[in-house]
Amino acid sequence: MSRIVILGAGISGHTAARYLDKWIGKKHEIIVVSPNAKWNWIPSNIWVGVGQMTEEDVTFDLAEVYKKTNVDFRQAKAISINPEGSADSEKPFITVEYTLESRAGEQENIEYDYMINATGPKLNFGATEGLGPDHGHTVSVCTAGHALEANEKLQATIDRMKAGEHCTVVIGTGHGMCTCQGAAFEYIYNVDHVLREAGVRDMARIVWISNEYELGDFGMGGVHIKRGGYVTNGKTFAESLMVERGIEWITRAHVKKVEAGLIHYETLDGEFHEQEFDFSMLIPPFAGVGLKAFDKAGEDITANIFAPNGFLKVDADYTPRPFAEWSAKDWPRNYQNPTYKNMFAVGIAFAPPHPISKPMQSPNGTAINPTPPRTGMPSATMAKAVAQSIRDMVNGAKEPTHSASMAEMGAACVASTGSHVFKGTAATMTVFPVVPDFEKYPDTGRDIELTTGEIGLAGHWMKYILHHTFIYQAKLKPGWSVLPD
């Protein structure tokens, strides 16, 4: 019997767990370790953040779901990895610390035959002084709890506008190296929508601030999309949406400090600026969760296994090269650590070889460019591929049997731009591949027939249906495995 330990129970970790349980759960041991008691469908947090959904609408209890399976769920956070074992243990193991109230603070070593790192990111609010809901002056929609607080402060701001006060709303990214622009993109349009519904849109100035070189970059180096029979670029698509709704934008910006009601930021030209606000939601940069690694003798080998940003190294080509020499072939295919072949990383937890968007620096040396998106559909796709490989390796395969390179997979994104049964809209976009391949598609890096974008009410209904579909699937309801990931 083999033991597979999965660190994290978000989209990628839970996807790997449910498939492994389905395929080999009766013959092998599957342990899921997560510090969180609840699973969160993060794409719908933006609706919680404007009061259109509750926390209960986007979360469920993990322990209750795993009781239906052969999965052993441990509510704990991983602290360190000993991939060679130790003086006291021949087998590799993970050291965890329980967050379950009845065992809080208790530590345990969990041995494994295979390990999947699906921890997701550390929300690195500390990278920008004054950023975030806990110790700063901005709100967040990165967790359901954050989104609840965001809505409370948004409603208070709406009340001020109803009382006759003009207010400035600033939404975007809170650092020059952020990813996940899409969440902020959705949130700004949903805020615009609820302000209109509340009858106070004329009292609000809405400003988008982002580290993107141009609107519509989304950390993918921009896109060219087929829309209505013609090809346009993501910049034109995104700008048109903002112009239609009277939203201003600031791009090429690194937020360096946030004070109460005031954002300090630097632009790519090296100039420093200030932006006042009454309400602001800024996405933080992501980092690894801070796992340490030790060899058999107890020596720290963290730098050998993890990239400087804290994400686990996999089968990517990390050779430093200038932007012009970057290739789709640099990206990992099977997400296996090159040194310890029984370790994998998926979703945000794997270290990308380099950005997708062109790296930029201001004259002051400040890096201002998006980092690669690795959430949502791609994270589920790579998690399923790793689960398939581990299933086969447990049954005798010598190496991974399945691949899911972001340079060979497509992705679909349905970005809400306002939630309403009749007046809601969403931008529906597909890209193929996620990482552009200019050797195969020399004009734009992507297959233009499979890279599309539309906006309308149908998109809103699609996102609403997908919300319920994916939660149904994640709860392991009957027929879950035939639904798309």
Side-chain angles (χ1 to χ4, degrees):
M1 175 183 286
S2 294
R3 175 185 286 175
I4 301 103
V5 176
I6 302 168
L7 305 182
I11 291 175
S12 57
H14 188 53
T15 298
R18 52 190 169 85
Y19 278 109
L20 284 169
D21 175 66
K22 174 181 169 62
W23 295 327
I24 60 174
K26 292 181 180 179
K27 294 184 177 180
H28 300 276
E29 190 176 3
I30 301 160
I31 298 176
V32 171
V33 177
S34 173
N36 303 312
K38 293 183 180 293
W39 189 85
N40 178 202
W41 179 241
I42 294 173
S44 292
N45 285 352
I46 52 105
W47 283 339
V48 177
V50 293
Q52 297 290 326
M53 283 191 173
T54 67
E55 184 175 11
E56 290 70 27
D57 290 329
V58 299
T59 62
F60 61 77
D61 189 82
L62 281 165
E64 289 300 313
V65 169
Y66 285 132
K67 282 180 182 177
K68 306 175 185 177
T69 71
N70 300 292
V71 173
D72 179 359
F73 175 61
R74 313 281 183 92
Q75 190 182 324
K77 63 179 180 181
I79 297 172
S80 61
I81 305 172
N82 283 66
E84 300 171 5
S86 68
D88 301 319
S89 176
E90 288 299 315
K91 296 194 70 172
F93 62 87
I94 308 287
T95 300
V96 306
E97 182 178 301
Y98 283 88
T99 58
L100 183 69
E101 187 175 353
S102 62
R103 301 182 67 180
E106 179 184 335
Q107 291 193 3
E108 181 183 7
N109 293 339
I110 303 176
E111 294 181 346
Y112 65 86
D113 296 289
Y114 296 90
M115 187 273 286
I116 303 175
N117 182 4
T119 55
K122 169 188 175 182
L123 302 175
N124 195 17
F125 291 106
T128 299
E129 183 182 347
L131 183 69
D134 296 328
H135 306 289
H137 307 283
T138 61
V139 299
S140 159
V141 292
C142 294
T143 71
H146 285 174
L148 282 174
E149 181 182 353
N151 180 54
E152 290 174 4
K153 293 190 175 181
L154 175 62
Q155 298 305 322
T157 306
I158 290 174
D159 288 341
R160 289 167 58 187
M161 287 186 271
K162 286 181 176 178
E165 184 178 349
H166 287 268
C167 292
T168 298
V169 173
V170 181
I171 295 169
T173 56
H175 189 274
M177 295 292 287
C178 283
T179 186
C180 219
Q181 289 79 11
F185 179 85
E186 289 190 85
Y187 191 61
I188 198 169
Y189 290 110
N190 275 271
V191 169
D192 170 79
H193 180 80
V194 298
L195 294 182
R196 293 178 189 276
E197 291 292 295
V200 295
R201 181 61 182 88
D202 60 324
M203 303 297 289
R205 178 190 177 204
I206 304 181
V207 181
W208 168 261
I209 186 167
S210 170
N211 59 343
E212 300 164 287
Y213 187 78
E214 302 285 6
L215 286 179
D217 180 284
F218 297 124
M220 299 188 297
V223 292
H224 285 78
I225 58 177
K226 193 168 186 179
R227 184 187 184 202
Y230 62 91
V231 175
T232 188
N233 58 46
K235 175 178 181 289
T236 301
F237 184 72
E239 285 183 354
S240 67
L241 294 179
M242 292 204 174
V243 169
E244 288 170 3
R245 289 160 176 78
I247 298 173
E248 303 172 36
W249 64 85
I250 301 165
T251 54
R252 311 176 194 182
H254 161 66
V255 174
K256 59 192 297 287
K257 181 180 179 181
V258 182
E259 296 179 302
L262 188 65
I263 296 169
H264 301 266
Y265 67 95
E266 177 187 355
T267 46
L268 196 57
D269 59 9
E271 297 296 315
F272 296 92
H273 309 268
E274 296 177 349
Q275 174 61 59
E276 295 181 348
F277 69 90
D278 296 283
F279 173 87
S280 179
M281 196 293 293
L282 299 178
I283 297 291
F286 292 168
V289 297
L291 281 170
K292 304 293 274 185
F294 302 96
D295 65 13
K296 195 171 185 67
E299 295 295 320
D300 192 325
I301 56 170
T302 305
N304 298 339
I305 294 177
F306 293 94
N309 55 16
F311 298 121
L312 186 73
K313 295 177 183 177
V314 291
D315 59 307
D317 186 346
Y318 296 103
T319 306
R321 295 189 185 93
F323 175 74
E325 296 178 16
W326 289 357
S327 167
K329 297 175 183 176
D330 299 340
W331 287 77
R333 293 178 54 78
N334 54 48
Y335 304 93
Q336 182 184 46
N337 181 265
T339 305
Y340 301 101
K341 304 293 188 178
N342 60 347
M343 288 173 44
F344 297 81
V346 292
I348 285 288
F350 89 83
H354 46 65
I356 302 173
S357 302
K358 185 176 182 179
M360 300 281 187
Q361 278 194 350
S362 75
N364 306 311
T366 304
I368 306 177
N369 57 262
T371 49
R374 308 186 295 290
T375 56
M377 186 175 177
S379 68
T381 301
M382 62 183 79
K384 185 176 181 179
V386 166
Q388 289 170 311
S389 290
I390 290 177
R391 174 200 63 193
D392 295 342
M393 293 170 77
V394 162
N395 290 321
K398 301 299 183 184
E399 57 187 24
T401 54
H402 289 74
S403 64
S405 170
M406 288 176 62
E408 297 173 358
M409 76 167 77
C413 175
V414 185
S416 173
T417 50
S419 176
H420 190 279
V421 63
F422 298 119
K423 295 182 287 184
T425 57
T428 305
M429 299 182 67
T430 62
V431 293
F432 185 89
V434 177
V435 174
D437 185 344
F438 286 97
E439 292 182 15
K440 192 170 184 180
Y441 308 105
D443 292 336
T444 65
R446 296 185 173 96
D447 186 333
I448 203 66
E449 296 299 323
L450 299 176
T451 304
T452 62
E454 297 290 346
I455 185 168
L457 177 60
H460 165 71
W461 275 104
M462 185 180 296
K463 184 174 177 73
Y464 186 78
I465 291 168
L466 288 173
H467 163 88
H468 290 284
T469 300
F470 287 130
I471 288 182
Y472 179 95
Q473 180 188 54
K475 286 183 175 180
L476 306 183
K477 298 284 190 177
W480 69 264
S481 62
V482 302
L483 297 171
D485 293 296

